Amino acid sequence: MVLDFEQRLAGLMDGERIKKDEPMKKHVTFRVGGNADYFVTVKNADEIAAVINLCKEEKVPYFIMGNGSNLLVGDKGIRGVVIQIAKDMNEIEVDGETITAMAGALLSKIAGAALNAGLTGLEFASGIPGTLGGAVVMNAGAYGGEMKDVLDMVRVLTPEGEILELGKDALKLGYRTSVVAEKNYIVLDARIVLKKDDKEKIREYMEDLKGRRTSKQPLEYPSAGSTFKRPEGYFAGKLIDDAGLRGFALGGAQVSEKHCGFVINKDNATALEIIKLIEEVQKRVKENSGVALETEVKKVGEF
Ligand SMILES: Cc1cc2nc3c(=O)[nH]c(=O)nc-3n(C[C@H](O)[C@H](O)[C@H](O)COP(=O)(O)OP(=O)(O)OC[C@H]3O[C@@H](n4cnc5c(N)ncnc54)[C@H](O)[C@@H]3O)c2cc1C
């Protein structure tokens, strides 16, 4: 059965894009996590659909990922196939005030293309270390901007194999949510609409945001960005600080001393240590302020 599955998978794409027992810590910004049974990097919608069909037929689970910047993978790894939509699916095209990019293009690259074309509106995303696909799913945002402001149309693959074009309203973009996440759609590509502006002004704003990130965020340690969602009316980092948890550590995992909203992998943490630390933070913040913190980071695999 396993051999049959492997042979069929090998028939779908060239061998160097299929990896067996692949350490997930190589593919996520937290740098933790066990092995994925199979890890494939896909080139287009047909390949994604073919791998998913095969998984369904052989009853093998699959998981879609982008750049792994919002994931916490369990120490025992991920069963089945991890399908990465990233570097092999990353074309970006600029046409007037419109940018069309594949789901695997990095936001930093798309923001760079916008800058080169003198287009404003995507500066907020230049320092978010994810792919366009991951950013659509989460309606990623920063410094007052969010994907919702710039997305015009997104093409998705449904779990049933249909391709849909979703306009702004159909995407139902909210705070770190979208219809894509709700319905397990797979983002293939998206159209972004921006506005012409002065290149120097755009560059300066990007530099300003970069400076703010470097001075406030613990970018020197592996993490998955903000660990918790912003509870309405509060800031997660302030609640954590007020609960006396700045620098609080468990094994190799730590609440960043620089920014309490980030749990960092300070010193070879395990996923279990990170989870335990997150749960302890949630418990103590609840006791201290009555606010329930929800995680923004997504847990995947076996812990
Ligand atoms: C240092 C740092 C700073 C960060 N700053 C910010 C910030 O300012 N704002 C912010 O919003 N986020 C921030 N993040 C979090 C993260 O970068 C974003 O959530 C990003 O959008 C995730 O994209 P990704 O490609 O890495 O997705 P992944 O982490 O690979 O996946 C995240 C989720 O999206 C799904 N997914 C990924 N690609 C697709 C696809 N093509 N189709 C369907 N589903 C898909 C996955 O299944 C998973 O559920 C930060 C992270 C780090 C490490």
Side-chain angles (χ1 to χ4, degrees), residues 27-30 48 63-71 83-85 103-107 124 127-143 176 180-181 184-188 213 217-219 221-226 262 296 298 300:
H27 301 284
V28 294
T29 55
F30 238 141
I48 302 170
F63 176 73
I64 303 286
M65 70 174 283
N67 199 40
S69 62
N70 202 36
L71 299 179
I83 303 172
Q84 190 188 39
I85 300 177
L106 288 172
L107 291 177
F124 78 90
I128 302 178
T131 61
L132 176 60
V136 171
V137 176
M138 304 284 293
N139 184 24
Y143 304 107
R176 301 295 174 264
V180 179
N184 281 323
Y185 291 158
I186 297 167
V187 179
L188 299 173
R213 270 190 197 268
Q217 299 182 357
L219 302 181
Y221 291 106
S223 79
S226 299
F262 280 57
E296 178 166 324
K298 292 199 185 315
V300 199

Side-chain angles (χ1 to χ4, degrees), residues 1 5 33 57 60 63 85 108 144 191 221 280 298:
M1 188 70 174
F5 174 77
E57 278 175 27
V60 171
F63 176 73
I85 300 177
S108 55
R191 194 165 65 215
Y221 291 106
E280 192 57 30
K298 292 199 185 315

